[in-house]
Amino acid sequence: MAATEGVLLGMGNPLLDISAVVDDAFLAKYDIKLNNAILAEEKHLPMYDELASKSNVEYIAGGATQNSIRVAQWMLQTPGATSYMGCIGKDKFGEEMKKNAQVAGVTAHYYEDETTPTGTCAVCVVGGERSLIANLSAANCYKSEHLKKPENWALVEKAKYIYIAGFFLTVSPDSIQLVAEHAAANNKVFLMNLSAPFICEFFRDAQEKVLPYADYIFGNETEAKIFAKVRGWETENIEEIALKISQLPLASGKQKRIAVITQGADPVVVAEDGKVKTFPVILLPKEKLVDTNGAGDAFVGGFLSQLVQGKSIEDSVTAGCYAANVIIQRPGCTYPEKPDFN
């Protein structure tokens, strides 16, 4: 079945990626690690200007959930099939963000904060691998009052699938709770992402509260291992962890949970109904890799594009792998005009 208008809703932190190729000395100077995602601290603040001064710097609309929604929209090619909410500032970057969503065909209802600048994310690339340092700024100001406004809640009502990355847990857990409960009460599909080791480690309580509502949980192998470790599961086996995640308690009205764990170039692990399946990814020669920024987001976007059309898990994983493969051959979470996926 074709995607209907507003079938998929995302909520999260809209950030403008400030992306540049750096070197190991730069990583050491700001004490950052590749393949990690963190929130900016005081010591990181000068880094944004230093990145901006690099000749190879690029500004790309980002934010994990927004990336996934844009990719799903691109895969679907049905204008307005997807919608998105988050908070931006009233500034140049905010205008950039609005324009970008419009061009992408996403119905974006941004909450605009008068006093705080639009959030940014430093993307430091070394050898194709990325490190993300988010300065949330306005993204951190999202309030559930915005969500409750009739014109915004209408997007929730219209959606059949609601996706929220774990990063939003640090911003507006009450907004997440509202849509999670709405999804449970109305037989809708609610999907979450582990998103980053620090979310699994330091926002465990907030995460724990919404997990029972999640029909699908996405994550990568690093996040899955930390998730297991903080729960004392004493295993680093990704298949075992995926199985355990799928079997965590469910909120009333939820039938089952599917856990989907990506592992970079290694197979995707899917746990469902007490069984685990693995799906190989499309391997890419190293020389074709531009950067891994947005790869996980793109996987989710591709996956969602099929799921919302009632396709199988297998088709959804295939589409996720296709989308991730396209995105890693380009800077940031960007894509060509049309997908050639069938």
Side-chain angles (χ1 to χ4, degrees):
M1 66 185 200
T4 52
E5 192 198 331
V7 66
L8 172 63
L9 167 66
M11 291 171 68
N13 302 337
L15 304 173
L16 193 74
D17 284 355
I18 304 174
S19 179
V21 175
V22 300
D23 54 18
D24 289 330
F26 187 96
L27 299 181
K29 176 178 176 182
Y30 291 108
D31 187 25
I32 51 182
K33 298 182 188 67
L34 286 177
N35 295 315
N36 201 8
I38 59 171
L39 294 177
E41 294 167 38
E42 205 61 39
K43 64 181 178 187
H44 299 119
L45 297 180
M47 178 180 63
Y48 295 84
D49 287 337
E50 191 173 336
L51 278 177
S53 69
K54 293 198 176 290
S55 58
N56 64 13
V57 69
E58 293 190 78
Y59 294 88
I60 305 159
T65 305
Q66 186 164 243
N67 284 343
S68 297
I69 295 296
R70 279 186 17 239
V71 169
Q73 180 59 51
W74 170 68
M75 292 282 288
L76 287 163
Q77 293 286 311
T78 310
T82 64
S83 51
Y84 175 79
M85 286 187 260
C87 184
I88 56 176
K90 272 195 187 299
D91 54 18
K92 190 176 83 206
F93 285 173
E95 286 307 311
E96 199 62 26
M97 205 76 84
K98 288 198 274 195
K99 205 164 68 194
N100 192 281
Q102 204 173 358
V103 170
V106 175
T107 305
H109 286 202
Y110 294 113
Y111 170 53
E112 292 180 49
D113 190 278
E114 302 280 345
T115 53
T116 321
T118 296
T120 50
C121 183
V123 181
C124 306
V125 180
V126 177
E129 304 292 339
R130 58 82 179 140
S131 184
L132 306 176
I133 305 90
N135 185 4
L136 296 181
S137 294
N140 202 28
C141 300
Y142 190 83
K143 306 275 184 290
S144 55
E145 287 81 70
H146 176 262
L147 173 65
K148 290 173 186 164
K149 284 189 176 157
E151 66 272 25
N152 300 325
W153 189 254
L155 297 180
V156 180
E157 295 275 354
K158 200 180 267 187
K160 305 262 188 296
Y161 295 80
I162 300 169
Y163 172 67
I164 301 179
F167 292 119
F168 204 49
L169 286 165
T170 76
V171 173
S172 189
D174 56 333
S175 296
I176 303 178
Q177 199 67 29
L178 281 171
V179 298
E181 287 173 5
H182 166 85
N186 294 278
N187 208 2
K188 294 180 175 187
V189 180
F190 180 65
L191 313 94
M192 284 219 69
N193 203 312
L194 299 179
S195 289
F198 85 90
I199 298 285
C200 300
E201 230 170 331
F202 304 115
F203 290 87
R204 182 184 167 171
D205 292 349
Q207 193 184 50
E208 204 90 313
K209 242 186 108 174
V210 295
L211 287 180
Y213 293 93
D215 300 273
Y216 287 80
I217 291 176
F218 297 94
N220 67 24
E221 76 281 32
T222 318
E223 295 149 10
K225 284 176 186 168
I226 296 282
F227 186 90
K229 191 176 143 195
V230 299
R231 282 167 179 73
W233 288 353
E234 291 183 6
T235 176
E236 292 216 322
N237 179 306
I238 297 302
E239 296 190 19
E240 271 180 55
I241 296 169
L243 201 53
K244 276 175 150 351
I245 291 174
S246 73
Q247 291 167 336
L248 286 169
L250 291 162
S252 70
K254 291 286 168 186
Q255 304 308 310
K256 67 170 183 178
R257 179 181 305 108
I258 298 174
V260 183
I261 309 295
T262 58
Q263 312 184 78
D266 292 327
V268 178
V269 175
V270 177
E272 174 183 14
D273 295 331
K275 294 192 236 3
V276 176
K277 283 188 185 146
T278 58
F279 301 89
V281 304
I282 311 161
L283 292 178
L284 187 73
K286 187 81 179 152
E287 65 273 10
K288 280 193 156 175
L289 173 71
V290 173
D291 69 55
T292 54
N293 182 23
D297 303 336
F299 173 84
V300 173
F303 187 101
L304 290 170
S305 73
Q306 304 309 297
L307 192 69
V308 304
Q309 298 181 77
K311 300 271 177 67
S312 69
I313 297 288
E314 206 157 339
D315 287 347
S316 302
V317 171
T318 304
C321 292
Y322 163 78
N325 184 266
V326 168
I327 265 69
I328 61 176
Q329 298 182 60
R330 306 167 64 92
C333 195
T334 61
Y335 38 76
E337 198 186 335
K338 288 225 178 350
D340 56 3
F341 175 80
N342 38 38

